[in-house]
């Protein structure tokens, strides 16, 4: 993607409106002392036909450059808006979490179950109990 392009630029003080450049332009981009930048391809034929040297080639921003600039500006505005609005999405009265306290987790023991004790719990012949 090219961000700049070359186009014709007419010096209105030097132009005598002889229209030799208009006849030489293959895209009909010249209307002395104006240039239709959307039509100009930057071929430079007009610069050679002007007897007064009123036409020079100039570098201009392309349409892609303008689109890029607008996209960057919109992204910047969106990020700034997000930074400003973010505190409103999170309430300030939320409960604080204290990570230094011990948390007790309730255990579930099914009803009608007996816990094995002694040798039964250690396993027969294991030496425990």
């Amino acid at each position: 993607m090219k961000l700049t392009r070359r186009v014709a630029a007419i010096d209105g003080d030097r132009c005598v409106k002889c229209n030799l450049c208009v006849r030489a332009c293959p895209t009909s981009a010249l209307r002395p002392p104006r240039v239709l930048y959307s039509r100009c391809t930057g071929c430079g034929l007009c610069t050679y036909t002007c007897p007064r040297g009123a036409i020079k080639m100039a570098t201009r921003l392309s349409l892609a450059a303008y689109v890029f600039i607008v996209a960057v500006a919109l992204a910047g505005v969106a990020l700034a808006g997000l930074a400003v609005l973010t505190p409103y999405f999170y309430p300030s009265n939320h409960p604080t979490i204290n990570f230094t306290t011990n948390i007790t987790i309730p255990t579930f023991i099914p009803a009608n179950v007996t816990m094995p004790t002694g040798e039964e719990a250690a396993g027969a012949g294991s030496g425990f109990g």
Side-chain angles (χ1 to χ4, degrees), residues 60-104:
R60 303 269 185 203
L61 289 177
S62 66
L63 179 62
Y66 288 114
V67 170
F68 180 74
I69 290 168
V70 169
V72 168
L74 287 176
V77 168
L79 286 175
L82 184 64
V84 169
L85 294 177
T86 298
Y88 296 107
F89 292 120
Y90 298 101
S92 59
N93 58 354
H94 63 279
T96 58
I97 300 173
N98 186 358
F99 291 102
T100 60
T101 60
N102 293 331
I103 298 173
T104 56

Side-chain angles (χ1 to χ4, degrees), residues 13-98:
D13 295 334
R14 297 181 78 181
C15 179
V16 292
K17 297 176 183 68
C18 65
N19 290 329
L20 291 174
C21 59
V22 174
R23 286 182 246 155
C25 182
T27 61
S28 302
L30 300 174
R31 304 281 187 268
R34 294 182 345 178
V35 177
L36 302 175
Y37 295 118
S38 60
R39 289 187 181 179
C40 183
T41 59
C43 66
L45 291 175
C46 55
T47 60
Y48 297 111
T49 59
C50 183
R52 304 275 313 240
I55 304 173
K56 304 285 184 216
M57 296 307 290
T59 303
R60 303 269 185 203
L61 289 177
S62 66
L63 179 62
Y66 288 114
V67 170
F68 180 74
I69 290 168
V70 169
V72 168
L74 287 176
V77 168
L79 286 175
L82 184 64
V84 169
L85 294 177
T86 298
Y88 296 107
F89 292 120
Y90 298 101
S92 59
N93 58 354
H94 63 279
T96 58
I97 300 173
N98 186 358

Side-chain angles (χ1 to χ4, degrees), residues 112-129:
N112 302 327
V113 174
T114 59
M115 298 294 290
T117 58
E119 199 171 303
E120 192 179 326
S126 66
F128 295 103

